[in-house]
Amino acid sequence: MPDAASQREFALQIAKQLRGAGYEAVWAGGCVRDRLLGYVPKDYDVATNATPEQIRDLFGRRRTLPIGMAFGVVSVLGPRAAGQIDVATFRTDATYSDGRHPDHVTFTNAEHDAQRRDFTINGLFYDPIANEVIDYVGGQGDLARRIVRAIGDPRLRLAEDKLRMLRAVRFAATFEFAIEPVTLATIQEMAPDILTVSAERIGMELRRMLVDRHRATAIALLRESKLLPHVLPEVAQLSESAFLETARILHALDSPTLSTALAALLCQPPTPDAHLAGTLGRRLKYTNKEIERTAWLLAHLPTVADAPTLPWPRVQRILIHDGAAEILALHGAIAGSNDRALAFCRERLSWPVDKLNPAPLVDGADLIGHGLKPGPVFSNLLEQVRDAQLNGEIHATAEALALVDRLRAAPNTLR
Ligand code: ATP
Ligand code: MG
């Protein structure tokens, strides 16, 4: 991860070098917004009137990556601590026939470049040498008013790139801004068109909303903007009380993984259904690992909720699982931090490892050594022996093998 001070310094050096060569160069977009809001920018973008070829000539082929020459974007490689910074030629985006990508771009001046951006708060430039904000779109006023407003005619701007509808919600939620009324009304009208955007892009926006601490606000805004039935139908169909409870749980989570947040979305009746994890996760192109973890969380939440009264071996298998921290976080968000089952699980987790998860008394090789033929009953026998061990009924390998013999001799047991 690049560090913030080196990134900023490198972004300044790039601007200086472009200026030294006679070009205009400013910081642009999200980094300007973030700095004015008092946040450390994730990354810096530099905008210039130099063409991509001129940018490559100036910084050298070896120090640049032609990541989007057709769109006028060149990535300049910095020192290790600074990472790389995108330098983009001022451009206007021509018609969007697919509602997502400009058909072609035209290189232009700073003012037109500001106007092709999505929201006024994202349309600011900053001159890092003169320390001056350059505002062609009223972005500073909207930052002060805490408003997300489309640049120009919201209807045209949202129609040319439907993803902007979700971006508006994300920016409003994460910055605790309101969406300007006409922009919001336009999203409400156009909401069904969000499905023309690729599932990956929708999934990426939702991911960012869900891991952000304003995730409950984001869900409420998705509903208000009428995007929810199209992007998260599983949540849109909840009853009013279940929706409010879902929002409460989302809010109560502290820095959840995506899987935990997804499980929170799906944990309310009538849908505490682990299969929905697959439907939702595959639709939004989340990874198999994330989907499996979400399904696991949903499937085992009831075990955690009833932990104090259930057989210990069942609970133990949850607590030693990779997802233990996530399931306890989710259960805590649902049941509250004073919950008895949560306290029970935490107490068990504080046990020394050899008590919480003692080394097994026997394994498959021991069973073979004991004269058994390897086969499908092995895992069942081993599980039963493990349960007995965890229950404190047996303490040594000899006792475990004796139990195996009893289990095999017992009627109705798998042999
Ligand atoms: P963040 O990186 O925190 O999501 P950002 O504003 O930097 O916020 P990026 O997606 O990195 O967002 O884009 C950088 C800038 O490019 C934006 O600030 C905006 O000016 C412009 N931009 C990005 N996506 C779009 C879009 N879909 N339509 C119009 N302009 C866009
Ligand atoms: Mg950015």
Side-chain angles (χ1 to χ4, degrees):
M1 265 308 268
D3 80 79
S6 313
Q7 260 186 317
R8 184 187 174 286
E9 179 56 29
F10 184 46
L12 176 63
Q13 288 314 320
I14 290 177
K16 283 187 174 161
Q17 199 168 334
L18 281 159
R19 292 284 188 89
Y23 301 112
E24 295 169 47
V26 288
W27 293 349
C31 65
V32 181
R33 174 201 67 216
D34 289 349
R35 287 170 51 84
L36 291 172
L37 287 171
Y39 302 126
V40 176
K42 264 197 335 293
D43 46 37
Y44 286 79
D45 290 297
V46 173
T48 176
N49 63 347
T51 64
E53 282 305 328
Q54 289 168 329
I55 298 166
R56 293 206 77 189
D57 286 345
L58 183 64
F59 293 97
R61 311 251 133 196
R62 286 194 309 120
R63 283 184 59 210
T64 53
L65 299 174
I67 57 169
M69 295 295 270
F71 296 105
V73 186
V74 172
S75 205
V76 182
L77 307 175
R80 207 178 168 61
Q84 60 192 58
I85 286 182
D86 290 350
V87 179
T89 309
F90 295 136
R91 66 173 200 251
T92 51
D93 297 337
T95 50
Y96 285 68
S97 40
D98 66 353
R100 173 65 203 135
H101 300 99
D103 295 336
H104 62 89
V105 307
T106 313
F107 298 142
T108 175
N109 60 21
E111 183 167 358
H112 286 123
D113 184 80
Q115 279 151 2
R116 60 109 187 147
R117 294 171 185 268
D118 49 3
F119 303 108
T120 59
I121 58 170
N122 291 346
L124 292 164
F125 296 126
Y126 183 77
D127 177 338
I129 296 149
N131 286 320
E132 248 169 39
V133 176
I134 303 158
D135 184 1
Y136 296 107
V137 294
Q140 287 185 105
D142 285 340
L143 272 181
R145 284 186 286 270
R146 310 180 71 79
I147 284 176
V148 177
R149 179 200 310 270
I151 295 175
D153 178 351
R155 206 168 261 291
L156 294 176
R157 300 315 310 288
L158 296 172
E160 71 191 10
D161 178 0
K162 313 292 196 295
L163 184 70
R164 290 174 187 158
M165 298 195 277
L166 276 178
R167 284 173 58 88
V169 168
R170 170 161 66 85
F171 291 122
T174 54
F175 297 130
E176 302 178 20
F177 279 25
I179 302 178
E180 179 273 326
V182 180
T183 304
L184 178 61
T186 308
I187 298 174
Q188 289 168 333
E189 281 166 36
M190 273 187 213
D193 294 349
I194 193 63
L195 292 179
T196 62
V197 174
S198 76
E200 284 89 345
R201 303 301 295 248
I202 295 176
M204 278 165 57
E205 285 296 325
L206 292 177
R207 171 191 295 276
R208 293 188 64 178
M209 292 185 213
L210 288 171
V211 300
D212 187 82
R213 74 186 168 88
H214 300 90
R215 66 195 77 83
T217 308
I219 292 296
L221 267 179
L222 284 173
R223 189 163 76 150
E224 191 188 355
S225 62
K226 300 198 171 20
L227 290 163
L228 196 64
H230 309 291
V231 296
L232 290 171
E234 298 83 356
V235 182
Q237 74 200 16
L238 293 174
S239 69
E240 183 61 17
S241 61
F243 178 85
L244 292 175
E245 178 60 3
T246 302
R248 186 195 67 74
I249 295 165
L250 281 174
H251 182 70
L253 290 169
D254 182 6
S255 312
T257 60
L258 178 73
S259 297
T260 308
L262 291 176
L265 286 179
L266 299 176
C267 74
Q268 289 306 302
T271 60
D273 178 350
H275 291 296
L276 283 180
T279 317
L280 183 156
R282 278 192 296 274
R283 186 179 71 238
L284 297 174
K285 313 285 179 198
Y286 294 141
T287 66
N288 286 337
K289 230 176 146 170
E290 289 170 327
I291 295 169
E292 277 160 26
R293 179 56 56 85
T294 304
W296 181 86
L297 291 168
L298 290 167
H300 297 290
L301 263 180
T303 306
V304 172
D306 290 335
T309 57
L310 288 174
W312 167 237
R314 260 187 75 185
V315 179
Q316 189 264 3
R317 287 185 172 83
I318 305 297
L319 296 184
I320 62 160
H321 190 278
D322 247 9
E326 286 166 274
I327 206 165
L328 292 189
L330 181 55
H331 176 73
I334 294 169
S337 50
N338 293 325
D339 177 67
R340 194 167 81 86
L342 186 64
F344 173 89
C345 291
R346 290 220 176 109
E347 195 268 330
R348 292 291 159 111
L349 275 177
S350 73
W351 281 6
V353 203
D354 57 353
K355 188 169 169 199
L356 176 66
N357 193 22
L361 297 171
V362 287
D363 60 16
D366 295 321
L367 296 192
I368 293 167
H370 193 60
L372 275 75
K373 286 211 181 66
V377 299
F378 261 45
S379 65
N380 183 285
L381 281 171
L382 288 172
E383 291 251 309
Q384 295 195 58
V385 172
R386 181 66 173 162
D387 283 0
Q389 181 191 7
L390 291 170
N391 281 328
E393 293 155 16
I394 54 173
H395 303 90
T397 303
E399 289 174 88
L401 292 174
L403 174 59
V404 168
D405 293 339
R406 284 203 302 284
L407 288 169
R408 295 181 69 217
N412 306 324
T413 330
L414 296 167
R415 274 153 227 274

